[in-house]
Amino acid sequence: MGCHGSKMRSGADGDFAPVSAPASTSKPALEGRVRAPARQRVGVYNADVGRGDGIADVGPTIASLLAEHADSLAELRVLAAGVEGYERTKHDDLYLLRYLLSHKLQPRAAVKAFASGLAWRRANGIDAIAQVVKEAGFVDGVHSQFPQYGKINPRLPMHFSGLADGQPTVYFSVRELKLAELMREITVADYVLYSQYLNEMVHQATDAASRRTGRIVKLVRLIDATGVGWHTLNMKYFSAVTAAARGSEDAYPQLLGYFFMCNAGRMARTFWENAARPLLPSRMVEKSALLEPLTSEADLQRLLVWVPLAKLPAQLGGGKV
């Protein structure tokens, strides 16, 4: 499909053709050019603005970002060409744009992360995982095919939705978690491997959605923290989460749209501020918020920027049972 004037199109085999930025514009020409303003977050979910495809209308179009940052992308492209593992077709301008946006539009910082991400993928055999994920497809529930699912999911249920045709979202409920039991059944390495499959699945799903819609689509994580207590907390599990995040953030820039912890009582807030938050990567913390959507209309509206009311779980103020 065409995407707001950008060079995104589906090939005959269903893969998406590379996205390229316009030719670099000289600085004198840039001075006289009117840049497309970034869209403001509308405060409520609107699936009908331009697309109606079930994805929140958040942020500027990819086409406008590629045009606005053409010079920086051209510089990053030159730097990236010297990185081991770089492939011009595979690592197109949309791929590199995510790195640029994650590193304050600084090409040298972006290429450092790009190199780190490719090295991490090689060291962990992610390309082989990527092929398995691609062949499995993006149907909700596909993660049941991943290693250790049988041990992990009954104790750490992850409810994915929108992987194929909507806003990619994953929902957890604390009342369903059995973290101590989980960490008796698996090792940290087991959890890391499972997370690698999940991250690659989300990466491929959000990349496909971005190319389909013409906006950078990201994952939304939702957790209902109702019932958090000492019996639900487990530091070994959070150590596993930290281990899984280590290195992967450079491989998957702009993957997380937001992490919302909802209905968090005093215990959950104390644990978040003093235990969980210090262990997490700073970029993840910056995209996290504690909300009370059942009692605060403002908090509910903040969620609805990302997830439509019909898809939001009832425990978070939505209509999905």
Side-chain angles (χ1 to χ4, degrees):
M1 296 180 196
C3 297
H4 303 279
S6 62
K7 297 181 180 179
M8 301 177 207
R9 58 194 182 279
S10 180
D13 60 357
D15 290 338
F16 286 85
V19 177
S20 298
S24 179
T25 308
S26 64
K27 290 186 178 179
L30 278 172
E31 291 175 357
R33 185 176 74 191
V34 178
R35 293 180 174 179
R39 291 184 61 88
Q40 298 298 312
R41 292 182 179 176
V42 295
V44 293
Y45 182 90
N46 189 343
D48 300 319
V49 179
R51 298 186 313 281
D53 53 22
I55 296 178
D57 188 36
V58 176
T61 64
I62 293 171
S64 68
L65 288 168
L66 291 175
E68 182 173 358
H69 305 303
D71 290 334
S72 295
L73 276 169
E75 181 180 348
L76 177 54
R77 170 73 59 203
V78 171
L79 295 170
V83 173
E84 182 182 356
Y86 166 79
E87 297 178 30
R88 178 66 177 85
T89 302
K90 183 177 182 180
H91 305 124
D92 65 5
D93 283 331
L94 175 55
Y95 194 101
L96 294 181
L97 177 64
R98 291 177 180 270
Y99 280 94
L100 198 62
L101 295 176
S102 292
H103 294 278
K104 301 179 180 179
L105 305 178
Q106 300 298 313
R108 292 192 179 278
V111 78
K112 183 178 179 180
F114 174 68
S116 174
L118 291 190
W120 179 85
R121 292 183 70 90
R122 287 195 302 274
N124 291 278
I126 303 301
D127 285 349
I129 291 175
Q131 187 60 35
V132 172
V133 170
K134 182 178 180 179
E135 292 174 357
F138 303 137
V139 295
D140 295 335
V142 68
H143 60 300
S144 63
Q145 302 178 38
F146 299 161
Q148 302 299 332
Y149 172 88
K151 292 183 178 180
I152 294 176
N153 195 71
R155 301 166 179 89
L156 178 61
M158 301 182 188
H159 306 286
F160 284 93
S161 62
L163 293 178
D165 57 3
Q167 170 60 59
T169 304
V170 60
Y171 167 70
F172 303 79
S173 172
V174 165
R175 285 174 290 194
E176 295 181 329
L177 305 184
K178 302 173 183 177
L179 300 183
E181 182 179 322
L182 171 68
M183 297 314 298
R184 288 194 296 268
E185 289 292 324
I186 66 169
T187 65
V188 169
D190 290 335
Y191 183 83
V192 168
L193 180 62
Y194 186 66
S195 295
Q196 288 170 351
Y197 275 82
L198 293 179
N199 284 336
E200 183 63 26
M201 175 188 72
V202 173
H203 162 66
Q204 291 188 22
T206 54
D207 183 68
S210 297
R211 295 170 190 275
R212 184 176 71 247
T213 64
R215 295 182 188 275
I216 293 183
V217 176
K218 306 176 186 180
L219 176 71
V220 176
R221 294 178 183 270
L222 304 172
I223 183 167
D224 176 13
T226 302
V228 167
W230 290 118
H231 65 289
T232 63
L233 306 178
N234 186 277
M235 288 306 300
K236 187 176 180 181
Y237 166 72
F238 284 100
S239 295
V241 171
T242 303
R246 193 176 300 120
S248 64
E249 59 179 347
D250 280 340
Y252 302 112
Q254 298 285 302
L255 187 67
L256 178 65
Y258 235 96
F259 167 66
F260 294 108
M261 180 183 289
C262 303
N263 308 327
R266 182 180 299 177
M267 173 73 74
R269 289 175 179 271
T270 298
F271 182 79
W272 168 255
E273 293 295 339
N274 297 292
R277 183 171 177 168
L279 292 174
L280 297 174
S282 60
R283 274 178 279 178
M284 182 174 177
V285 172
E286 291 168 0
K287 297 180 180 181
S288 303
L290 274 64
L291 303 181
E292 299 294 337
L294 296 180
T295 58
S296 168
E297 179 64 22
D299 283 359
L300 176 59
Q301 292 300 322
R302 189 171 178 184
L303 281 180
L304 295 181
V305 171
W306 295 93
V307 185
L309 190 64
K311 297 291 183 68
L312 192 66
Q315 296 90 329
L316 305 184
K320 182 178 180 181
V321 179

